[in-house]
Amino acid sequence: MTRFSAPGQRHILCVFPRYVPSFGTFEYAYELTDGVKAFMPPQGLLVIASVMPANWDVRFIDENMQAASTEDFLWADVVFVSGMHIQRRQIEDIRRRAHAQGKVVVLGGPSVSACPHYYPAFDYLHVGELGDATEKLVAILAKDISRPEQQVVLKTETRRDLADFPVPAYELAPIDRYFLGSIQFSSGCPYTCEFCDIPGLYGRVARLKTAEQILTELDVLLARGVVGSIYFVDDNLVANRHALKELLPHLIAWQKRNGYPLAFACEATLNIARSPDILALMREAAFETIFCGIETPEPQALKAISKQHNMALPILEAIDTINHHGMEVVSGIILGLDTDTLETGGNLLAFVERSHIPLLTINLLQALPGTPLWDRLEKENRLCENDDLESNVIFKLPYDDVLSMWRDCMGKAYQPKILFDRYRHQMRHTYPNKLPRPWSRQRLSPRNIRKGIHFLSKIIWKVGIRGDYKAAFWSFVLFSLSRGKVEPIIRVGLVAHHLIAFARDACAGKNNASHYSAKARTLELEGQIGS
């Protein structure tokens, strides 16, 4: 867990690009909080910041909170940027502003690692994960911070073991201004779903941190002011079930030692339902939400996209098993698959009703470079780079039919009364199975109480008094109070407001139909940044 070493001093500015508002990043909920400005701390840039030589000054700016200023760029010797394909335009905008001040700019992260050719104007490209390429980059910058005559591409040949990763530089980020905290235990996924780029980027054999690393990071996050929940950003938390079973008792002990100050959430394959022993331990560790890439309820579609593992158990049975252990399921859903028919939208809405899953991220299929889907569609001449369209895939169904199906599903699934009805089901059948977390001194701290009162007052004012779905909201409030529960009013109020508002704008054509699309949008929420 050592830093790199280099002589002299450098000023390193790490800039994380803005996201266009999306279903999964909860921008519409921020107005109901006490100053939340972004979704989760970006692990990648904060890890890179933490391995820089100790004698180098490092700053971090998340442009989801505030834009890097001219003064920030003037301070820097070198600007580091990282991001995903969906941030491609914002990545380029940061480069343009840094170059305008004559600064050398380095790009790393998943987008450039998959597609270096997307970024010909950057000075240095760091392709791959933390490792020997990072060491070479530090050595180069220690000697020379002038812009090279031509682009330099550094590719990681030897990755640093995750067990040798340092604690991300959380101290550089305003942790208490994020919607969730973030932490990573493993990297990689054994499955080869056709549309997913994770195996190609990070491998099929999960690489792991130690339990000691995770507990240290949790201690740091808690000290830095994280409140509420921490999301394990692992591509698939059950990629190595044996390792997870070894980790969970340590998480349980940490929670007990600290008075259960936080809830946990994660992403895992739906076949986690076949491991009730793991689910029982996750419940005791206060995992409350699992994101599962269900993608579609149609079996023929799951087979076509190499997602047969979703059928290890009947899907509704698997969801019920997870709910029985007190964990709410969040589902990824894809429309526009080759097997879709004009009945697929209706089948999806029927599944939403039967599963009672409140939050489903309903996306149009998007082909990512480096995936089996991309390779197949390229051979079939079915890739389309048209910024006026919501997907880069030429669907088998007419494009307008697929887009209409998506909007119909979004509009109906997130009608306020229907959404709150699904949350009522969770309160009856899932939440009572949660581990009863003690009302410890940590959870009842003055700061947490003030935060809860602030959230509740804003939700009541903006939704319950000024909102246009107040009848559905107050019906849920009365239902929650009748069961002696106040906390769900806050948590559900925040999330439901985002889902309803986002779905409305999506149906009006104001938001992208795929979380993975880099389609340009006017940043409707721009006024929230820096306010």
Side-chain angles (χ1 to χ4, degrees):
M1 293 184 281
T2 57
R3 292 175 176 267
F4 293 114
S5 60
Q9 189 177 46
R10 292 285 182 256
H11 291 170
I12 306 297
L13 180 65
C14 298
V15 185
F16 189 67
R18 176 85 191 275
Y19 286 111
V20 172
S22 74
F23 213 122
T25 47
F26 293 93
E27 283 92 338
Y28 291 81
Y30 300 165
E31 66 173 338
L32 304 179
T33 71
D34 61 344
V36 168
K37 296 294 184 183
F39 186 46
M40 287 191 298
Q43 290 277 312
L45 264 183
L46 294 177
V47 168
I48 291 296
S50 68
V51 299
M52 290 297 102
N55 46 306
W56 290 14
D57 292 332
V58 182
R59 293 181 183 176
F60 168 77
I61 295 174
D62 187 339
E63 292 209 324
N64 293 283
M65 297 193 186
Q66 64 180 42
S69 66
T70 298
E71 289 72 23
D72 293 320
F73 288 119
L74 288 173
W75 171 85
D77 295 317
V78 183
V79 177
F80 284 4
V81 188
S82 177
M84 299 184 289
H85 292 317
I86 56 172
Q87 296 165 295
R88 186 173 168 186
R89 287 177 174 81
Q90 290 76 25
I91 289 171
E92 284 289 356
D93 181 63
I94 295 168
R95 176 202 58 76
R96 178 188 57 78
R97 287 181 282 141
H99 277 171
Q101 305 304 323
K103 304 301 179 177
V104 63
V105 190
V106 181
L107 177 62
S111 183
V112 69
S113 295
C115 299
H117 61 280
Y118 279 3
Y119 303 101
F122 276 79
D123 301 302
Y124 292 93
L125 300 185
H126 183 291
V127 176
E129 297 180 75
L130 174 64
D132 56 346
T134 324
E135 187 172 13
K136 291 175 185 175
L137 176 65
V138 169
I140 291 170
L141 297 177
K143 294 178 181 177
D144 187 4
I145 53 171
S146 61
R147 293 186 58 192
E149 292 184 4
Q150 60 184 18
Q151 185 179 79
V152 176
V153 180
L154 302 169
K155 296 184 179 181
T156 297
E157 303 295 339
T158 303
R159 295 182 293 203
R160 182 181 285 199
D161 194 318
L162 255 67
D164 194 35
F165 268 44
V167 175
Y170 295 125
E171 71 278 2
L172 299 180
I175 296 298
D176 61 343
R177 288 293 175 258
Y178 285 97
F179 195 71
L180 297 172
S182 65
I183 198 167
Q184 183 177 20
F185 171 56
S186 67
S187 180
C189 180
Y191 299 106
T192 55
C193 306
E194 187 187 37
F195 55 84
C196 184
D197 60 354
I198 295 303
L201 286 172
Y202 306 118
R204 295 183 62 188
V205 178
R207 292 168 292 121
L208 309 165
K209 290 181 181 176
T210 65
E212 290 73 21
Q213 285 173 282
I214 296 300
L215 300 188
T216 298
E217 291 188 30
L218 289 173
D219 286 338
V220 173
L221 282 166
L222 199 59
R224 299 300 305 176
V226 70
V227 173
S229 297
I230 288 181
Y231 193 90
F232 279 76
V233 299
D234 304 45
D235 314 307
N236 179 5
L237 191 63
V238 290
N240 185 323
R241 294 178 192 237
H242 177 73
L244 179 58
K245 285 180 69 174
E246 289 188 340
L247 171 67
L248 287 168
H250 294 279
L251 293 182
I252 293 167
W254 184 88
Q255 290 276 37
K256 291 178 178 178
R257 187 166 61 249
N258 288 281
Y260 277 88
L262 303 165
F264 294 134
C266 70
E267 179 172 348
T269 42
L270 188 62
N271 60 9
I272 192 176
R274 295 183 65 187
S275 300
D277 52 341
I278 290 177
L279 291 174
L281 289 170
M282 291 176 71
R283 174 185 178 275
E284 194 175 348
F287 278 83
E288 295 186 351
T289 307
I290 302 181
F291 179 95
C292 297
I294 293 174
E295 319 308 355
T296 171
E298 299 179 341
Q300 72 276 16
L302 291 171
K303 292 177 183 176
I305 61 176
S306 301
K307 197 107 185 185
Q308 296 94 326
H309 49 274
N310 270 3
M311 297 184 288
L313 290 173
I315 291 177
L316 293 177
E317 180 182 330
I319 294 167
D320 186 64
T321 298
I322 295 170
N323 291 163
H324 181 72
H325 287 85
M327 284 168 273
E328 183 181 314
V329 173
V330 173
S331 173
I333 295 291
I334 301 174
L335 290 174
L337 300 171
D338 283 1
T339 52
D340 283 2
T341 68
L342 294 178
E343 287 72 48
T344 293
N347 294 340
L348 173 58
L349 289 171
F351 169 75
V352 173
E353 183 177 357
R354 292 196 305 270
S355 69
H356 305 285
I357 296 175
L359 200 172
L360 306 96
T361 59
I362 306 172
N363 289 290
L364 289 191
L365 180 66
Q366 186 83 10
L368 300 178
T371 62
L373 175 65
W374 178 281
D375 295 341
R376 177 172 66 83
L377 295 181
E378 190 172 46
K379 290 177 183 177
E380 297 174 7
N381 197 28
R382 292 177 55 205
L383 292 173
C384 176
E385 295 296 334
N386 183 340
D387 288 346
D388 292 328
L389 300 180
E390 296 284 352
S391 172
N392 63 353
V393 174
I394 299 175
F395 304 122
K396 290 205 168 180
L397 287 176
Y399 171 81
D400 288 342
D401 288 349
V402 176
L403 186 59
S404 176
M405 184 189 304
W406 173 76
R407 286 179 174 157
D408 183 61
C409 289
M410 290 286 286
K412 290 178 178 176
Y414 292 108
Q415 289 180 20
K417 180 183 182 304
I418 291 174
L419 175 59
F420 281 114
D421 281 347
R422 298 203 297 274
Y423 274 116
R424 281 191 187 87
H425 177 90
Q426 297 298 314
M427 287 196 66
R428 293 189 186 101
H429 299 282
T430 300
Y431 301 165
N433 301 322
K434 290 182 182 181
L435 178 81
R437 292 162 60 198
W439 289 106
S440 61
R441 180 167 53 88
Q442 292 85 345
R443 293 187 68 199
L444 291 174
S445 68
R447 176 171 175 260
N448 282 359
I449 292 172
R450 287 194 302 270
K451 184 179 288 284
I453 293 172
H454 191 99
F455 282 19
L456 185 60
S457 62
K458 277 199 168 183
I459 291 168
I460 290 173
W461 173 247
K462 290 181 178 289
V463 177
I465 296 176
R466 301 185 63 190
D468 62 2
Y469 59 92
K470 57 176 69 73
F473 169 74
W474 282 112
S475 177
F476 178 79
V477 169
L478 293 175
F479 175 81
S480 187
L481 292 176
S482 72
R483 304 175 80 86
K485 302 292 184 183
V486 174
E487 187 272 340
I489 299 172
I490 299 174
R491 187 172 61 83
V492 173
L494 286 172
V495 176
H497 181 68
H498 169 75
L499 298 177
I500 293 166
F502 183 91
R504 287 175 173 177
D505 278 356
C507 292
K510 296 180 181 179
N511 287 324
N512 288 351
S514 174
H515 175 62
Y516 303 97
S517 172
K519 180 177 179 179
R521 291 285 185 188
T522 302
L523 298 183
E524 302 287 346
L525 307 181
E526 192 69 44
Q528 292 185 8
I529 303 302
S531 62

